[in-house]
Amino acid sequence: AGVNGPSNMATSSVFGSHGHIIEQVSDTKYMLPLNLGVQLQFPVGENLALGVGVSYTMLKSKFDCLVNKVKYSGEQTLHYIGIPVNVYGTIAQKNRFMFYINAGAMLEKGIRAKYKFESYRDTHRHSTDMDGLLFSVNAGLGVEYKFSNYVGLYFEPNLIYFTNSDMQYSVRTDQPLQIKAELGCRFHF
């Protein structure tokens, strides 16, 4: 993580930039992202559907840093709202199971960045709005079990790529190509 890591971006806001020597002394540890969303799916052909939704994502990371030679444990939490748009192509259907491929994109807006720094003597917290937009593209396979013609439970592993942006430093900027697996409910209209 080093110079461009989360500690450098946040500690100047938390501690002020006057006279502080700030150094990240550990690798950044990324926690599993939390992603919640809802999606509506509309048929556009016999074996083709368009999915549009809204999602919330929380990314959390931890790291150690020194501020004027005092060790702090740092934590960064980033909150995003996104709009995913995907195209689904049915490969096969058997009983209530549907197997499909998908491809799409998502536009996300960072809404809040929160930082917490703890040492043996004090704790500092800081929260700030996030500027800019984050764009990603994805492709994958999926399987869905339909409870009815309108509601299904799905599992969908995807390969996802986050484009270069000016967003906050996170696992997405450090590792832009990722494997993501979604499990969720889908509504069909």
Side-chain angles (χ1 to χ4, degrees), residues 133-150:
L133 296 172
L134 182 61
F135 183 75
S136 62
V137 292
N138 64 280
L141 301 169
V143 60
E144 180 175 348
Y145 178 79
K146 286 189 170 183
F147 296 106
S148 71
N149 289 336
Y150 305 104

Side-chain angles (χ1 to χ4, degrees), residues 1-120:
V3 173
N4 296 322
S7 71
N8 222 13
M9 298 177 87
T11 50
S12 61
S13 297
V14 175
F15 295 99
S17 57
H18 304 293
H20 293 295
I21 299 171
I22 301 164
E23 178 185 3
Q24 186 166 333
V25 295
S26 73
D27 289 335
T28 303
K29 295 173 188 78
Y30 300 110
M31 309 299 121
L32 281 176
L34 171 66
N35 184 277
L36 303 171
V38 65
Q39 182 181 79
L40 299 175
Q41 201 172 77
F42 304 92
V44 291
E46 188 175 325
N47 292 317
L48 206 58
L50 176 67
V52 179
V54 64
S55 72
Y56 162 79
T57 302
M58 181 181 74
L59 302 176
K60 192 177 265 195
S61 57
K62 296 183 179 187
F63 50 89
D64 293 326
C65 63
L66 296 176
V67 179
N68 293 340
K69 297 186 181 183
V70 176
K71 183 179 178 190
Y72 282 84
S73 296
E75 184 176 283
Q76 172 183 265
T77 306
L78 305 176
H79 301 272
Y80 296 89
I81 294 290
I83 299 174
V85 177
N86 290 289
V87 175
Y88 298 88
T90 303
I91 299 171
Q93 290 186 3
K94 182 153 175 101
N95 298 325
R96 294 187 173 267
F97 285 95
M98 178 178 68
F99 301 90
Y100 59 91
I101 58 173
N102 72 297
M106 181 161 57
L107 188 63
E108 290 179 283
K109 169 71 176 116
I111 52 174
R112 203 79 182 144
K114 295 183 179 182
Y115 302 95
K116 178 178 159 185
F117 293 92
E118 287 184 302
S119 74
Y120 65 92

Side-chain angles (χ1 to χ4, degrees), residues 113-129:
K114 295 183 179 182
Y115 302 95
K116 178 178 159 185
F117 293 92
E118 287 184 302
S119 74
Y120 65 92
R121 63 181 181 189
D122 59 6
T123 299
H124 296 271
R125 295 177 192 272
H126 179 68
S127 182
T128 183
D129 291 336

